[in-house]
Amino acid sequence: MEKSGFHTVKSEFVDAPVIEELPISLECRVEEINQYDKTLRIVAEIVNVSVDEEVLDGEGKIDPEKLKAISYDPANRAYLRVGEKVGTAFSDGKKLN
């Protein structure tokens, strides 16, 4: 943490730290952990979500462009920027009927 420049505070909701510099924090309570060969499966309940206003749009929703989230691609060992909308959940599939 020291090398990254991040700072932590204790969560009010779970026994874990929260990184102050990150715009979104999902605080979870672990329900089960399962190891399958080389895969680890963790099931958890989200008990608190904190979001900085700087990443919200005018309607109070998270704006992916403001968030500038990244995702890890294990096949290519790369980090990718997330944000481009490619469809609308629960409605685009109806066009196939």
Side-chain angles (χ1 to χ4, degrees):
M1 294 301 288
E2 187 176 322
K3 286 183 179 182
S4 71
F6 289 153
H7 303 90
T8 60
V9 294
K10 183 174 178 350
S11 165
E12 296 177 34
F13 302 93
V14 295
D15 185 20
V18 173
I19 300 173
E20 293 182 303
E21 289 80 8
L22 299 181
I24 295 180
S25 177
L26 300 176
E27 297 169 64
C28 303
R29 183 174 296 118
V30 175
E31 305 223 341
E32 61 182 86
I33 300 174
N34 299 300
Q35 180 76 44
Y36 304 100
D37 295 322
K38 296 180 182 179
T39 303
L40 182 65
R41 179 177 155 247
I42 301 172
V43 178
E45 174 190 8
I46 299 172
V47 296
N48 187 55
V49 178
S50 301
V51 181
D52 287 347
E53 288 186 14
E54 67 190 35
V55 297
L56 300 178
D57 65 14
E59 297 177 10
K61 296 180 181 178
I62 295 169
D63 182 334
E65 290 184 22
K66 291 180 180 179
L67 181 60
K68 299 179 183 175
I70 60 172
S71 176
Y72 178 64
D73 172 7
N76 295 297
R77 301 180 71 191
Y79 294 103
L80 306 173
R81 185 172 304 276
V82 177
E84 179 185 357
K85 182 177 178 179
V86 295
T88 302
F90 307 107
S91 64
D92 286 355
K94 293 178 182 177
K95 298 173 188 173
L96 301 174
N97 292 333

